[in-house]
Amino acid sequence: MSRRLRMFIDNMPYHIVHRGHNRTNCFKFEAVKGMFFSMLCNKLDECGIKLHAFVLMSNHYHLLVTPQSGKEVPHFMQCLGRHFAGYYNALNDKTGTVWDGKYFASLVENDYYVLACYRYIELNPVRAGIVRTPDQYHWSSYHSNAGGLNSQIIVPHPSYEALGDNKFTRLRAYRELFNADIDKAELQAIRQSLNKNMPCQSLIASSKQVQPEAMSISV
């Protein structure tokens, strides 16, 4: 069966996930995460893509991005994957595929779902049982979005900026979003929207009717 054709719209946010091939531990060491993060920063600027939220896990990563030009998203993912694969294979004296050939990408259609994806991404290490609270995990945008850490690459989405009329109130309101767990139906719907490369809103809106099924996206 052929893959669903993916089209990316200019100036619209997308939740993107990419995994190591066969769930390979691509980011075993902190220095490797640092190298990938440096490559990510460079490619964001080159491709005109705004980064709102991210997390680097051991064998995959999540991004919430808005491309100025939608056609740059495939180019961005291809260049980022190719550059890191070259580094990873040289470091480990190996050849071959590092990433799964297919990355997952879901259009996020409105403010509520943008903030839901912010939370989903930054709570990933908590759901994985690595840390108890998101602030305990280093490789995440939570420190900028909730803690106010200055960042050269994190660009607030308008839905984030709407949380308050100044930085202090936005940070406080954003942290309050993490006081409760993500609703299970909403969590499942976000995962399914990624697996199907479908818009987030349409699936979350009907999340109460979503039935359990085997998911490719599990955290």
Side-chain angles (χ1 to χ4, degrees), residues 177-197:
L177 296 176
F178 290 76
N179 289 339
D181 293 335
I182 299 177
D183 179 80
K184 289 183 179 180
E186 185 172 282
L187 186 70
Q188 186 175 342
I190 291 174
R191 289 170 176 167
Q192 191 175 24
S193 67
L194 283 167
N195 290 335
K196 294 180 179 295
N197 293 301

Side-chain angles (χ1 to χ4, degrees), residues 4 6 8 13-17 62 64 102-109 113-114 116-117 120 185-207 210 213-218:
R4 181 190 298 272
R6 289 185 291 191
F8 295 93
Y14 288 85
H15 181 187
I16 297 175
V17 180
H62 291 253
L64 180 61
K102 176 184 177 182
Y103 59 89
F104 299 91
S106 173
L107 172 67
V108 189
E109 294 182 299
Y113 305 113
V114 169
C117 287
Y120 180 90
E186 185 172 282
L187 186 70
Q188 186 175 342
I190 291 174
R191 289 170 176 167
Q192 191 175 24
S193 67
L194 283 167
N195 290 335
K196 294 180 179 295
N197 293 301
M198 291 180 63
C200 202
Q201 178 181 356
S202 58
L203 282 169
I204 293 181
S206 59
S207 61
V210 175
E213 61 176 283
M215 298 286 184
S216 298
I217 301 297
S218 58

Side-chain angles (χ1 to χ4, degrees), residues 3 18-24 26 59 97-104:
R3 294 180 183 175
H18 207 183
R19 293 192 179 279
H21 182 60
N22 291 330
R23 298 181 181 260
T24 297
C26 302
N59 62 10
T97 300
V98 175
W99 301 104
D100 275 347
K102 176 184 177 182
Y103 59 89
F104 299 91

Side-chain angles (χ1 to χ4, degrees), residues 75-155:
H75 174 66
F76 163 73
M77 293 298 294
Q78 182 182 58
C79 289
L80 179 60
R82 189 175 291 169
H83 277 73
F84 180 77
Y87 163 80
Y88 179 88
N89 283 338
L91 180 68
N92 293 279
D93 192 25
K94 60 171 290 188
T95 60
T97 300
V98 175
W99 301 104
D100 275 347
K102 176 184 177 182
Y103 59 89
F104 299 91
S106 173
L107 172 67
V108 189
E109 294 182 299
N110 67 34
D111 289 347
Y112 175 82
Y113 305 113
V114 169
L115 291 174
C117 287
Y118 264 92
R119 293 176 65 218
Y120 180 90
I121 290 169
E122 294 174 354
L123 283 170
N124 203 268
V126 177
R127 289 193 302 276
I130 299 171
V131 294
R132 294 183 63 184
T133 57
D135 61 295
Q136 296 174 334
Y137 194 75
H138 177 66
W139 295 102
S140 161
S141 53
Y142 184 84
H143 304 282
S144 295
N145 292 325
L149 180 69
N150 289 331
S151 171
Q152 297 296 316
I153 65 162
I154 298 298
V155 179

Side-chain angles (χ1 to χ4, degrees), residues 28-65:
K28 187 174 182 180
F29 303 108
E30 292 294 286
V32 177
K33 287 180 180 176
M35 179 58 71
F36 177 83
F37 188 71
S38 177
M39 293 177 180
L40 171 65
C41 294
N42 291 335
K43 294 304 173 185
L44 287 167
D45 186 56
E46 287 180 16
C47 297
I49 292 177
K50 297 176 182 177
L51 178 66
H52 311 302
F54 76 91
V55 68
L56 307 185
M57 303 297 287
S58 62
N59 62 10
H60 70 284
Y61 62 90
H62 291 253
L63 307 175
L64 180 61
V65 299

